[in-house]
Amino acid sequence: MITVDQLAKLVEGVVEGDGSAVITGMAPLSSAVKGDITFALSEKDFMAAVDTQASCVLTTMGAPALPKTLLRIKNPKTAVTILYNAMTEIAPPPEGGVHPSAVVSAKASIGKNVSIGPNVFIDDGSVIGDRSVIEANSVIGKGVKIGEGVRIAANVTIYKGVKIGSKVIIHAGTVIGADGFGFITKDGRNYKVPQMGAVIIEDEVEIGANSCIDRATFGDTFIAKGTKVDNLVQIAHNVNIGRNVLIAAQTGIAGSATIGENTMMGGQVGIADHAKVGSNVKLAAKTGVSGRVPDDVTLFGYPARDARETKKINGLLSLFARNASEIKRLIRGTMANEPEQKD
Amino acid sequence: MITVDQLAKLVEGVVEGDGSAVITGMAPLSSAVKGDITFALSEKDFMAAVDTQASCVLTTMGAPALPKTLLRIKNPKTAVTILYNAMTEIAPPPEGGVHPSAVVSAKASIGKNVSIGPNVFIDDGSVIGDRSVIEANSVIGKGVKIGEGVRIAANVTIYKGVKIGSKVIIHAGTVIGADGFGFITKDGRNYKVPQMGAVIIEDEVEIGANSCIDRATFGDTFIAKGTKVDNLVQIAHNVNIGRNVLIAAQTGIAGSATIGENTMMGGQVGIADHAKVGSNVKLAAKTGVSGRVPDDVTLFGYPARDARETKKINGLLSLFARNASEIKRLIRGTMANEPEQKD
Amino acid sequence: MITVDQLAKLVEGVVEGDGSAVITGMAPLSSAVKGDITFALSEKDFMAAVDTQASCVLTTMGAPALPKTLLRIKNPKTAVTILYNAMTEIAPPPEGGVHPSAVVSAKASIGKNVSIGPNVFIDDGSVIGDRSVIEANSVIGKGVKIGEGVRIAANVTIYKGVKIGSKVIIHAGTVIGADGFGFITKDGRNYKVPQMGAVIIEDEVEIGANSCIDRATFGDTFIAKGTKVDNLVQIAHNVNIGRNVLIAAQTGIAGSATIGENTMMGGQVGIADHAKVGSNVKLAAKTGVSGRVPDDVTLFGYPARDARETKKINGLLSLFARNASEIKRLIRGTMANEPEQKD
C-alpha cells in the first residue's frame, strides 16, 4: 500500500490534490481504473485525463490544472520508470494455481502462490519458488531450480539442471540450456563434444523473447545479477557475464567469452569465442569484437576499434570516394603493381 | 469456382484442351490430384506430367504437346504466383472446429469456421475472426483481437492486447507483444521502463518464423498493410513500418525507428533507434543504418552509404591492398607519425 | 556394454586399476554414479574425484594416483568427445511411451521404443522411426517422416512434409519447413510466391535452438549428412548444404545458395541468395558473401575478401587513422574536389 505523497517523494514530484489517496496499480489512460496512477504527458493526454477514473495523474510541471489529484514531475520517463518499479515491489502476489491441463511431475516441488498455465510441463525434481508464474505451453526440464517471483512467459523451454534466481523475467520462446555448439573434426567426421555443464542465471536478470542461452560444456554458463538481455540474442556455452550488463537484440556472444560489469552492447554485436571484454565498455551496434577489450572504452566497427578511430577512418573513406579518380591515378603513376593502361 | 479459361485470362496464357475444366486447387506434380492445376516447367517435369491426375498443367510456351489440358505461359514464376493468389482468394473456408485438447476461455469470442488446433490456449477477452486458423500449441493472450482469414502457425505467442488485422499469416515460433527493451540506469542499477503500449498489425501482413515484434512503451508498435517480414527479424518497441515493406531474415529495427512505404531490406540489416527511413528505399544485406534516410535511395555498407559510394570505396580498398607496401612507404616517408624504422 | 579396457583403446589411454569394469554411462563429477565414467582434469577435480561413486575416472597423464580405476589420456577434450560418442552408440534405447496428454493422430505411424512427451501433437500421416524421442510441446505436421534414433527437443515445430533422417538432433524452438520468403511486387502490391517444396535433412545432422529452415518454393531445401547448425540460424528456401558443414550461431543463408562439403562458418555470417560457396571454405564471423566462392579459401570481411587481404586493408586503415590530418592535407593540396578552405 502506497500513497500519492509517498510516490511523490520517490520521484521528487509535486502533489496537487489528495496526497493521502492510496495507489494500488499503474496503467495508461486508455485502461486506468480507480486506485491506479496514470500519466498525461502530452496536449492530447491532458484532454483525455479529464475523464479518467484513475486516482492520480502523473503529469508535467507545465500541464494545465485538472479536476484530479496530480503528481507533477520534471523528467517524465525516469519518474514513470521509478514508479513502475516501486509498484512492482508492492504488487500483491499472484493468486496462484495450477491449470488442470498442465502436467506437473509429482516429484517437482511447487512453492506458494505459484501460477502454472495451461499445457505447461514441469519435469521431475524441478523446484519452483513462491509467487513465480509459468505461462502457457512452457516446458521446465528435470531438476531445474527457479527462484521466487520469477515470470516465465509462454512457449519457453528450460532444459534440465538450469538454475534461475529470483525476480527473473524470461520472455516467450526463449530456450535456456540447449547444448553448446562444439564438434571435433576427425577423419572427415564431426564428433559432438559432450555438453554436460549447466546454466546459472542470478536474481533480477531479464531475458527477451526467442533468445538462446546454451549450457556449458563442463562447468556453467553464467549471467550475473541485474543483467538484461534483449530478443534473439545468442549466449554460447561457458560464457560468463557480469552484473548489470545490457545486451541489445540479435547480439551473439561466442563460447567461453567473458564480459565485465555494466557493459552495454548495441544490437547485432558479435563477440568472438574466448574474448575478454571489460567493465563499463560500450559496444556500438554491429560491432565485431575479439581478443581483449579493456575497461571503460567505447568501440565501434567491424573489426572493432576505438569509436573515434572508426569515425576518423569513415571520414577518410568518404574523402577517398570523392577523389577516387585522382587517388587511382596517383597510385598507378607511382607504383609498380598498377600499370596505367589497366584503367 | 474457377475454370482454366478464367485462369488463362489472369496470367495471359494460352489454353490447349478443355478450357471449361473447373480448378479447385493447386499442387506440385508429386501430389496433384483431380481438380488441381499443377506445373511442368522443365524437361524432367514434362515426362512426369504425362501421368498426373491434375486437371490442368501449367507449362512453358515451348513445352511439347501432352495428352492433358495445358495452360502455356511466358513467365512461369509470375504466372504461378498470380494463380496461387487467385486460388487462395477462392479457397473454401476451413471446416473449423476447436480441438478438444485446446483451452479456450469462455470469455473469448470465436468467429465462424475458426479452426483451433491441439493444445492451443486462448485467454479471456480475445476475439478470433471468421475463418481464422490457430495451429497447435500457440498461445493467444488476454484481449487479443485477430481478424478474418488469419493463419497463425504452431507454437506462436501473442501477448495480451495485440491487434491483428485480416488475411495475416504468422509463422511458427514468432512472438508478438513481448516487452520492449528499455532500462534506466541509476545508482548502478537497471530500472525497467514500463512497457504498457500495444502492437497493431494491419491486413495482409505476413511474419516469418521465430521473429519478435515488441509492444510499445506507450502507444503502439505499428506494421501497415501488406508488409512482409521474414524469419528471425527483430522489430522493437514503438517502431512504425509503412505499407508493402519487405524485410528479409535476421534484420533488426531498433526502438522508435520509422520506415516508409515499399522499402526493401536485405538480410541482417540493422536500423538504429529513432532512425527515419524513407519510402522506396533499398538496403543491401548487412547494411547498418542510423539517422535519416531520404526516399528512393539504395544504401549499402556499415555504416550505410549510397551503394555506388560503397562500391567505389571497396574498389579503392582492393587497390590499396595490392599496393600496400608502396602506400606504407609513401606515408612513412612524408609523415611525422610513422618513422621509417617501425617497419 | 563396454569395459574400461575397451574405452582405453578408443582414446589411446592408459588404465590404472580394474580394466574389466563395465561402463554404462558418462557424467560429470557432480552427478556421476556407479557404472559411469567421469572426468577429473584439474587440481580441484582431483580432490573431488576421491569421493566419486563412478566406476572409472578419466584424467590427465600427470594427475596424482587416486584410489579409483583411472583412465589417463593425453588430450582430454578429444578423449572425452570420443568416449561420449562411443557411449552414445551403445546407449540402451529409451523406454518409449506416449504421454497421455500427447495428441497423436490415429493415421500416424509410431515406431518401437519411441518416446512422445506431454502436449506433443503429431498430425496425420507422419512416421516416427524406432527409438526416436519427441519432447514436450513439439508439433509434427502432416506427412512428416522422421528416421530412427532422432531427438526432437521441446517446443519444436516441423511443418508438413518435411523429411528427417536418422540420428538427427533438433534443439528447442526450432522451426523446420515454414514458407520461404518470396514475393512478386506488381502494381504496388506484394504477391506471395507459392512455397510448395519440402525440406530434406539427412542422417546425423544437428540443428541448434530457435533456428529456421524454410521449405523450398518448388523442389527441396537440402542439408546433407553430418552437417551441424548452431542456434538462431536462418536457412532459406532451396538452399543446398553439403556434408559435414559447420554453421555457427546467427548465420543466415539466403534463398537458393549452395554450400559444398566441410565448409565452416563463424557466427553472424551472411550468404547472399544464389551464392555458390565451395568445399573446405572457412568464413570468419560476420563475413558477408555473395557470388561464387572457390574451394579451400578463407574469407573474412564485409564484403568478403581473402582473409589476408582484409587483414592488410585493416592494417592500412589503422595507418591512415594515425596520419589522418596529413592524408587530408595531401589530398586537398593536389586534388580538385577538396579545396583547402573546407577544413
Side-chain angles (χ1 to χ4, degrees):
Chain A
M1 219 188 77
I2 199 159
T3 65
V4 172
D5 280 337
Q6 287 170 315
L7 291 174
K9 259 194 186 162
L10 284 174
V11 295
E12 300 172 24
V14 179
V15 179
E16 268 174 46
D18 179 10
S20 66
V22 170
I23 300 301
T24 53
M26 185 179 193
L29 272 171
S30 58
S31 62
V33 295
K34 195 164 183 291
D36 282 344
I37 182 167
T38 189
F39 11 85
L41 305 172
S42 68
E43 208 66 39
K44 201 183 69 182
D45 287 356
F46 301 151
M47 309 281 286
V50 175
D51 297 326
T52 184
Q53 299 302 310
S55 299
C56 178
V57 178
L58 184 108
T59 192
T60 59
M61 287 297 180
L66 285 170
K68 300 282 161 190
T69 295
L70 299 184
L71 173 51
R72 294 185 186 269
I73 36 80
K74 278 186 190 152
N75 185 332
K77 195 178 172 194
T78 303
V80 168
T81 298
I82 291 171
L83 289 184
Y84 174 81
N85 284 271
M87 302 302 297
T88 304
E89 292 291 329
I90 63 153
E95 209 179 306
V98 177
H99 193 277
S101 67
V103 176
V104 179
S105 163
K107 293 175 194 157
S109 163
I110 310 297
K112 286 177 216 155
N113 294 105
V114 167
S115 293
I116 297 178
N119 307 318
V120 165
F121 173 50
I122 298 184
D123 210 339
D124 302 348
S126 280
V127 177
I128 315 290
D130 295 350
R131 299 178 309 284
S132 286
V133 175
I134 317 285
E135 298 186 14
N137 289 34
S138 284
V139 174
I140 311 295
K142 283 193 168 68
V144 170
K145 311 288 179 219
I146 294 178
E148 301 184 355
V150 170
R151 178 189 178 194
I152 293 187
N155 280 317
V156 167
T157 304
I158 313 284
Y159 279 67
K160 69 173 178 185
V162 170
K163 291 185 184 68
I164 295 173
S166 291
K167 297 185 185 173
V168 168
I169 300 173
I170 298 177
H171 280 285
T174 281
V175 175
I176 301 185
D179 287 354
F181 190 68
F183 296 91
I184 290 179
T185 305
K186 217 188 140 183
D187 308 329
R189 228 191 105 183
N190 295 316
Y191 291 87
K192 182 176 172 72
V193 175
Q195 304 291 335
M196 293 183 160
V199 179
I200 296 177
I201 295 175
E202 290 197 337
D203 294 353
E204 295 175 25
V205 167
E206 180 162 350
I207 315 275
N210 280 346
S211 285
C212 297
I213 302 174
D214 282 350
R215 68 177 51 246
T217 307
F218 305 109
D220 301 301
T221 303
F222 181 81
I223 301 182
K225 188 175 175 183
T227 283
K228 313 293 184 180
V229 176
D230 200 352
N231 301 336
L232 294 164
V233 170
Q234 155 73 358
I235 297 178
H237 59 88
N238 297 85
V239 165
N240 188 305
I241 301 180
R243 287 190 175 204
N244 296 324
V245 170
L246 294 176
I247 302 176
Q250 295 177 321
T251 286
I253 306 181
S256 301
T258 63
I259 317 289
E261 299 189 356
N262 306 313
T263 284
M264 295 172 67
M265 306 180 199
Q268 299 181 339
V269 165
I271 297 189
D273 56 294
H274 294 88
K276 296 201 178 313
V277 177
S279 293
N280 304 304
V281 170
K282 289 192 174 65
L283 303 175
K286 275 189 177 289
T287 292
V289 167
S290 59
R292 192 173 287 266
V293 176
D295 293 350
D296 302 312
V297 296
T298 298
L299 302 190
F300 164 36
Y302 163 57
R305 299 167 187 271
D306 184 280
R308 289 161 300 185
E309 186 183 352
T310 294
K311 278 177 197 165
K312 205 180 270 186
I313 289 172
N314 288 330
L316 286 172
L317 293 176
S318 298
L319 182 72
F320 294 163
R322 287 196 301 272
N323 295 280
S325 311
E326 288 84 352
I327 290 175
K328 279 189 204 164
R329 210 171 302 133
L330 178 70
I331 291 180
R332 283 167 184 169
T334 64
M335 288 163 193
N337 294 349
E338 302 291 331
E340 189 80 26
Q341 66 268 30
K342 258 192 177 169
D343 204 7
Chain B
M1 218 188 76
I2 200 159
T3 65
V4 172
D5 280 337
Q6 287 170 314
L7 291 175
K9 259 195 184 158
L10 285 174
V11 297
E12 300 171 24
V14 178
V15 178
E16 268 174 47
D18 179 10
S20 67
V22 170
I23 301 301
T24 53
M26 186 179 193
L29 272 171
S30 57
S31 62
V33 296
K34 195 163 181 294
D36 283 344
I37 182 166
T38 188
F39 12 86
L41 303 171
S42 68
E43 208 67 39
K44 202 184 67 180
D45 287 355
F46 301 150
M47 308 281 286
V50 175
D51 296 326
T52 184
Q53 299 302 310
S55 299
C56 178
V57 178
L58 184 111
T59 191
T60 59
M61 287 297 179
L66 285 171
K68 300 281 163 191
T69 295
L70 299 185
L71 174 51
R72 294 185 186 270
I73 37 79
K74 277 185 191 152
N75 185 333
K77 196 180 171 193
T78 303
V80 168
T81 297
I82 291 171
L83 290 184
Y84 173 81
N85 284 272
M87 302 301 297
T88 303
E89 292 291 331
I90 63 154
E95 211 178 303
V98 178
H99 192 276
S101 66
V103 176
V104 179
S105 163
K107 294 175 194 158
S109 163
I110 311 296
K112 286 178 216 153
N113 294 105
V114 167
S115 293
I116 296 178
N119 307 320
V120 165
F121 172 51
I122 298 183
D123 210 339
D124 301 350
S126 280
V127 178
I128 316 288
D130 296 349
R131 298 178 310 284
S132 287
V133 176
I134 318 285
E135 299 187 13
N137 289 34
S138 283
V139 174
I140 311 295
K142 281 194 168 70
V144 170
K145 311 288 180 218
I146 294 178
E148 300 186 354
V150 170
R151 177 189 178 195
I152 293 187
N155 280 317
V156 167
T157 304
I158 314 285
Y159 279 66
K160 68 173 178 186
V162 170
K163 291 186 182 69
I164 295 174
S166 292
K167 297 186 185 174
V168 168
I169 300 173
I170 298 178
H171 280 284
T174 281
V175 175
I176 301 184
D179 286 355
F181 190 69
F183 297 90
I184 290 179
T185 305
K186 217 188 139 184
D187 308 328
R189 229 191 104 183
N190 295 315
Y191 291 87
K192 182 176 173 74
V193 175
Q195 304 292 334
M196 293 183 160
V199 179
I200 296 177
I201 294 176
E202 289 196 338
D203 295 353
E204 297 175 26
V205 168
E206 179 163 350
I207 315 275
N210 280 347
S211 285
C212 296
I213 302 173
D214 281 350
R215 69 176 51 247
T217 306
F218 303 109
D220 301 302
T221 303
F222 181 80
I223 302 183
K225 187 175 175 183
T227 283
K228 314 292 184 180
V229 177
D230 201 352
N231 303 334
L232 294 163
V233 170
Q234 156 73 356
I235 297 177
H237 58 90
N238 297 84
V239 165
N240 188 305
I241 302 180
R243 286 189 175 206
N244 296 324
V245 171
L246 294 176
I247 302 176
Q250 295 177 321
T251 286
I253 305 180
S256 301
T258 63
I259 318 289
E261 298 190 355
N262 306 314
T263 284
M264 297 172 65
M265 305 179 200
Q268 300 181 338
V269 165
I271 297 188
D273 57 294
H274 294 88
K276 298 203 176 310
V277 177
S279 293
N280 304 305
V281 171
K282 290 192 173 65
L283 302 175
K286 275 188 177 288
T287 292
V289 167
S290 60
R292 192 173 286 268
V293 177
D295 294 351
D296 302 312
V297 297
T298 298
L299 302 190
F300 164 37
Y302 163 59
R305 299 165 186 273
D306 184 280
R308 288 160 301 186
E309 186 183 352
T310 294
K311 278 178 195 164
K312 206 180 269 187
I313 289 172
N314 288 330
L316 285 172
L317 293 176
S318 298
L319 181 73
F320 293 165
R322 286 195 302 273
N323 296 281
S325 310
E326 289 85 353
I327 290 175
K328 278 187 205 166
R329 209 170 303 133
L330 179 69
I331 291 180
R332 283 168 184 169
T334 65
M335 288 162 193
N337 293 350
E338 302 292 329
E340 188 81 27
Q341 65 269 29
K342 255 192 179 168
D343 206 6
Chain C
M1 219 188 78
I2 200 160
T3 65
V4 172
D5 280 338
Q6 287 170 316
L7 291 174
K9 260 195 185 160
L10 284 174
V11 295
E12 301 172 24
V14 178
V15 179
E16 268 174 46
D18 180 11
S20 66
V22 170
I23 301 300
T24 53
M26 186 179 192
L29 272 171
S30 58
S31 61
V33 296
K34 196 163 181 292
D36 283 345
I37 182 166
T38 189
F39 10 86
L41 304 171
S42 69
E43 208 66 38
K44 201 184 68 180
D45 287 355
F46 301 151
M47 308 282 286
V50 174
D51 297 324
T52 184
Q53 299 301 311
S55 299
C56 178
V57 178
L58 185 109
T59 192
T60 59
M61 286 298 180
L66 286 170
K68 298 282 161 189
T69 295
L70 299 185
L71 174 52
R72 295 185 185 269
I73 36 79
K74 277 186 191 154
N75 186 332
K77 195 178 171 193
T78 304
V80 168
T81 297
I82 291 171
L83 289 184
Y84 173 81
N85 284 271
M87 303 301 297
T88 304
E89 291 291 329
I90 64 154
E95 210 178 307
V98 178
H99 193 276
S101 67
V103 176
V104 179
S105 162
K107 293 175 194 157
S109 162
I110 309 296
K112 286 177 216 155
N113 294 104
V114 167
S115 293
I116 296 178
N119 306 320
V120 165
F121 172 51
I122 298 183
D123 209 339
D124 301 350
S126 280
V127 177
I128 315 288
D130 297 348
R131 298 179 309 284
S132 287
V133 175
I134 317 287
E135 299 186 14
N137 289 34
S138 283
V139 174
I140 311 294
K142 281 193 168 70
V144 170
K145 311 289 179 216
I146 293 178
E148 300 185 354
V150 170
R151 177 189 177 193
I152 293 186
N155 279 317
V156 166
T157 303
I158 314 284
Y159 279 67
K160 69 174 177 185
V162 170
K163 291 186 182 70
I164 294 173
S166 292
K167 297 185 184 173
V168 169
I169 299 172
I170 298 177
H171 279 284
T174 280
V175 175
I176 301 185
D179 286 355
F181 190 69
F183 297 90
I184 290 179
T185 305
K186 219 188 139 183
D187 309 328
R189 227 192 105 184
N190 296 316
Y191 291 88
K192 181 177 173 73
V193 175
Q195 304 292 333
M196 294 183 159
V199 179
I200 296 177
I201 294 176
E202 290 197 337
D203 296 352
E204 296 176 24
V205 168
E206 180 163 350
I207 315 275
N210 280 347
S211 285
C212 296
I213 302 174
D214 281 350
R215 68 177 52 246
T217 307
F218 304 109
D220 301 302
T221 304
F222 181 80
I223 301 183
K225 187 176 174 181
T227 283
K228 313 292 183 180
V229 176
D230 201 352
N231 302 336
L232 294 163
V233 169
Q234 155 73 356
I235 297 178
H237 60 89
N238 297 85
V239 165
N240 187 305
I241 302 180
R243 288 190 174 203
N244 297 324
V245 170
L246 294 176
I247 302 176
Q250 295 177 320
T251 286
I253 306 181
S256 301
T258 62
I259 317 289
E261 300 189 355
N262 307 313
T263 284
M264 296 171 67
M265 305 180 199
Q268 299 181 337
V269 164
I271 297 188
D273 58 292
H274 294 88
K276 297 201 177 312
V277 177
S279 294
N280 305 304
V281 171
K282 289 190 175 65
L283 302 175
K286 275 188 177 287
T287 292
V289 167
S290 60
R292 191 173 288 266
V293 177
D295 295 349
D296 303 312
V297 296
T298 298
L299 301 190
F300 163 37
Y302 163 58
R305 299 167 186 271
D306 183 281
R308 288 160 302 186
E309 187 183 352
T310 294
K311 277 177 197 167
K312 206 180 269 186
I313 289 172
N314 287 330
L316 285 172
L317 293 176
S318 297
L319 181 72
F320 294 164
R322 286 195 301 272
N323 296 281
S325 311
E326 289 84 352
I327 290 175
K328 279 188 205 166
R329 209 170 301 134
L330 179 70
I331 291 179
R332 284 169 184 170
T334 64
M335 287 161 194
N337 293 350
E338 303 292 330
E340 188 80 26
Q341 65 268 31
K342 257 190 179 169
D343 206 7

